[in-house]
Amino acid sequence: MDKKIFLGFDGGATKTTCVAMDAERNIVAEETGKPSNFQIIGTSKASENILSVAEGVLGRTGLDFGMISVMYLGLTGAGRITDADRMRDAFIDHLEKRSLAAPRVLIGSDAIAALEKFLAARLSALPIQPLRTQMMPALREVEIYDQLGGLFG
């Protein structure tokens, strides 16, 4: 099956929420699980919790891990590039230990994900479709915006 999905995460000190979105930008499932603030619980435990939430959302969709095109992890504590890279490397290592092929994994601050969600809601209310299209490019093959994550647009 060539269906691809995008998983977007908002992870912090109290919980991790994941949404699965298809290529048409439809949210097809949502799941909430344990925290993923790697600055507090460590990269190994955060990776375990993130993967658990991902497996939960995949279970709701009937899709498998190989269908994930991109995972965007908006995490508390990932505001510095060195910290985001450390978490990304740990998460990919965790996937490989579970014999799961790593999709494209992007990590950024949960504050950026929240800002993107806020802006997306405001921009989607614009009445003129061409203007909306210029300001929020459509997903292409479940590719997300490289700069802000494109998580909730």
Side-chain angles (χ1 to χ4, degrees), residues 29-140:
E30 183 175 341
E31 182 81 12
T32 299
K34 295 179 181 178
S36 55
N37 183 335
F38 63 96
Q39 302 286 14
I40 296 172
I41 64 174
T43 58
S44 180
K45 186 65 176 170
S47 295
E48 182 180 315
N49 291 349
I50 291 164
L51 183 56
S52 176
V53 175
E55 290 170 337
V57 84
L58 289 172
R60 290 179 182 272
T61 64
L63 302 174
D64 64 49
F65 199 83
M67 296 173 178
I68 302 169
S69 178
V70 177
M71 296 175 82
Y72 178 81
L73 312 178
L75 303 176
T76 299
R80 288 181 293 277
I81 292 172
T82 55
D83 290 334
D85 287 347
R86 180 170 55 94
M87 181 60 212
R88 182 182 177 280
D89 292 345
F91 184 66
I92 290 172
D93 286 346
H94 186 73
L95 296 177
E96 290 172 354
K97 287 177 185 170
R98 299 273 313 270
S99 299
L100 296 170
R104 184 171 178 209
V105 177
L106 303 173
I107 297 185
S109 168
D110 63 334
I112 296 297
L115 177 62
E116 169 70 7
K117 182 177 180 180
F118 172 80
L119 291 175
R122 297 302 180 265
L123 293 175
S124 66
L126 291 173
I128 304 168
Q129 179 62 31
L131 179 59
R132 208 168 40 230
T133 302
Q134 289 173 15
M135 295 178 79
M136 291 180 56
L139 290 171
R140 290 184 185 95

